[in-house]
Amino acid sequence: MRTAVFPGSFDPFTVGHYDVLESALQLFDKVIVAVGYNSSKKGFFNPDTRVEIIRQAVADLPNVEVCTYNGLTIDLCRNLGVNHIIRGLRTTTDFELESVIAQANKKMAPDISTTFIPACQEYSFISSTVVRDILIHKGNAAQFLPKGVDIEKFLAEREK
């Protein structure tokens, strides 16, 4: 079974991420969405909430798992026995940054490859940063989030 890790902060998981994930599932039998976090940084949603949001978003997709991790993505891949990383691209700037990271990963772990998947043009302008800003300012971000995500529930939990 060909398995890939799709790492990111996913704070929050957007329709662009979902689009990349759907494309990845056409290339791989299973995709593990890995929510990376840095304990020294405070995200908008905590890692467990991000996992819950992603699980809601991917409920209709077969062969998707969701986990959290801390540290290097290649270490996660080694721990899971996975040799493929998926990275979504929105812009040429994303490509430049992701290419450098992929090259460093390849140098440290030659057996792990990175596959770049461009988000469709319809979603190429959507970033978690923009969606967070909309949410922070009480705007309607529904069109930027995957169907099935009850964002109001997660916002209410966040404010507790």
Side-chain angles (χ1 to χ4, degrees):
M1 177 180 273
R2 287 178 48 95
T3 302
V5 167
F6 181 21
S9 59
F10 304 115
D11 191 20
F13 191 77
T14 69
V15 290
H17 295 127
Y18 187 91
D19 178 62
V20 169
L21 178 58
E22 281 186 309
S23 296
L25 286 167
Q26 298 200 12
L27 300 171
F28 297 93
D29 302 310
K30 177 177 161 186
V31 176
I32 301 167
V33 180
V35 177
Y37 67 95
N38 180 337
S39 58
S40 66
K41 289 185 179 178
K42 182 173 176 14
F44 184 71
F45 289 112
N46 69 51
D48 293 334
T49 299
R50 292 183 227 169
V51 167
E52 280 187 63
I53 290 170
I54 296 167
R55 285 189 177 140
Q56 270 191 7
V58 304
D60 64 331
L61 294 178
N63 303 323
V64 176
E65 289 181 15
V66 186
C67 70
T68 60
Y69 77 104
N70 201 347
L72 297 175
T73 303
I74 57 169
D75 290 338
L76 172 69
C77 288
R78 285 183 179 130
N79 291 339
L80 296 173
V82 173
N83 292 344
H84 303 281
I85 297 171
I86 297 295
R87 295 301 297 168
L89 302 175
R90 292 174 297 125
T91 64
T92 55
T93 304
D94 284 352
F95 175 75
E96 290 173 9
L97 173 64
E98 294 296 343
S99 180
V100 169
I101 294 168
Q103 290 172 34
N105 284 343
K106 194 69 169 171
K107 190 74 172 166
M108 292 184 292
D111 58 320
I112 299 174
S113 62
T114 299
T115 300
F116 297 125
I117 298 178
C120 74
Q121 184 178 6
E122 176 182 357
Y123 303 129
S124 64
F125 71 95
I126 300 169
S127 70
S128 291
T129 303
V130 168
V131 175
R132 269 194 316 273
D133 197 45
I134 293 167
L135 294 172
I136 288 167
H137 294 94
K138 310 288 188 216
N140 182 357
Q143 64 187 321
F144 306 117
L145 299 167
K147 289 178 177 52
V149 173
D150 183 1
I151 199 65
E152 296 304 322
K153 169 192 169 215
F154 296 111
L155 289 170
E157 287 175 5
R158 183 180 179 278
E159 291 178 10
K160 288 182 184 177

